[in-house]
Amino acid sequence: MVGVGFYRDTGVVLRCQKLGEADRIVTVLTHQHGKVRAAAKGVRRTTSKFGARLEPFGHVDLQLHTGRSLDIVTQVQTIDAFGGDLVADYPRYTAGCALLETADRLTPEEGEPARELFLLLVGALRGLAAGRRDPHLVLDAYLLRAMVIAGYAPAVTECARCGTEPETPLDAPDGTHGFHRRFAVAAGGAVCDACRPGGAVVPSWWTWRLLEALRDGDWTAAEQSPPDARRDAAGLVAAHLQWHLERQLRSLPLVDRKGAPRVDLDDGLPAAPEESEREGAV
């Protein structure tokens, strides 16, 4: 329960499940109250006034009444109907499903404020619905920034174990810097030569640059990245997220990445192109 009596909030519908013959339980990530599970009475009837508003991807204004086990939805107004723009485009739709599932998994406690994650989710859904950016870049940027909020984003520009920053090569492009060569999910991301564990992979420079750009919101650099870097960055981000969640996300294998490998933590990480190599035990 969130409180006593009635309360209002805005939120994004993450998922729905049937309750009885005509009702539905909706899970909503809200602006002020975090994740809320509430019963929506009669919404599965054809005469329901707001059944269509309580669907996944819906950005809504809600009035709820605090109940004993579940709060009760009493009023709903649509702010953004993101689902209408996403369901007609499979790559954007599957990326959107991954956004919703990640938001659900990263907010396990109901009623705990999650304002930053809510705002990040609304921004990502708005970007997907607009269709102006590659949906997979939007997804990977969201996953990285969500991990920053949760406190376990992968290290990119310093060693995850000792904090050492890499040297900038003399031939590095203007305004850029060097990166450590190896990435190890179990170690927390980038690792220097002294700290590298067995099983680390060696991403390309562009993969590192893309990870940094997505984390920092540098869309100019992100959209200049080549396809192989996007593929490998997606694999690293997904593996790092699922490692910390200690479970696989069901929606990620469904994301249409046009040939990108599916990430299976039991099988390890996909290697980066050309220069990538699997490190042996130290």
Side-chain angles (χ1 to χ4, degrees):
M1 291 191 303
V2 173
V4 178
F6 290 90
Y7 64 98
R8 296 193 70 90
D9 208 340
T10 57
V12 174
V13 180
L14 303 180
R15 54 189 170 94
C16 304
Q17 63 188 96
K18 294 179 180 179
L19 177 65
E21 294 184 359
D23 304 336
R24 182 180 291 162
I25 297 175
V26 293
T27 301
V28 186
L29 180 60
T30 67
H31 190 186
Q32 300 295 334
H33 298 88
K35 187 162 68 175
V36 173
R37 293 177 71 247
K41 301 290 187 179
V43 296
R44 291 164 53 205
R45 296 193 181 101
T46 57
T47 56
S48 173
K49 295 181 179 179
F50 54 77
R53 302 171 191 171
L54 289 174
E55 295 288 347
F57 302 112
H59 180 205
V60 293
D61 183 294
L62 297 162
Q63 178 175 284
L64 303 101
H65 183 268
T66 302
R68 292 185 177 181
S69 58
L70 290 172
D71 294 346
I72 309 298
V73 178
T74 58
Q75 293 181 13
V76 185
Q77 294 294 329
T78 298
I79 300 174
D80 295 294
F82 295 125
D85 294 315
L86 299 181
V87 295
D89 186 307
Y90 185 72
R92 288 194 290 160
Y93 172 74
T94 55
C97 290
L99 295 182
L100 298 187
E101 186 180 1
T102 301
D104 194 9
R105 299 301 182 196
L106 289 178
T107 52
E109 296 296 328
E110 295 180 29
E112 293 294 326
R115 183 174 181 272
E116 288 183 282
L117 192 60
F118 166 78
L119 294 175
L120 183 66
L121 177 60
V122 171
L125 288 173
R126 187 166 286 128
L128 277 182
R132 291 190 294 268
R133 301 194 188 281
D134 184 326
H136 308 121
L137 292 181
V138 173
L139 170 60
D140 294 331
Y142 172 83
L143 298 181
L144 274 170
R145 295 184 201 179
M147 286 190 281
V148 170
I149 293 170
Y152 47 77
V156 175
T157 53
E158 71 286 334
C159 176
R161 288 187 167 176
C162 69
T164 301
E165 295 185 358
E167 296 182 0
T168 300
L170 295 177
D171 59 350
D174 292 341
T176 63
H177 51 77
F179 297 97
H180 291 300
R181 293 186 63 233
R182 298 168 178 83
F183 187 107
V185 170
V191 286
C192 65
D193 289 343
C195 296
R196 74 182 191 275
V201 294
V202 182
S204 67
W205 181 89
W206 256 117
T207 302
W208 285 117
R209 182 69 183 99
L210 177 57
L211 290 172
E212 181 185 42
L214 293 175
R215 183 197 64 187
D216 298 343
D218 185 351
W219 286 101
T220 299
E223 291 173 342
Q224 292 174 348
S225 60
D228 54 359
R230 297 186 186 194
R231 179 199 67 203
D232 294 336
L236 294 174
V237 170
H240 190 87
L241 173 63
Q242 293 176 123
W243 174 274
H244 285 278
L245 290 177
E246 297 183 343
R247 63 185 303 169
Q248 295 215 358
L249 296 179
R250 291 177 298 176
S251 55
L252 280 181
L254 302 178
V255 175
D256 181 10
R257 292 188 182 270
K258 297 180 180 179
R262 296 183 177 184
V263 176
D264 185 342
L265 295 184
D266 293 332
D267 294 336
L269 296 176
E274 298 180 0
E275 62 181 300
S276 302
E277 62 188 19
R278 184 68 72 170
E279 293 288 328
V282 177

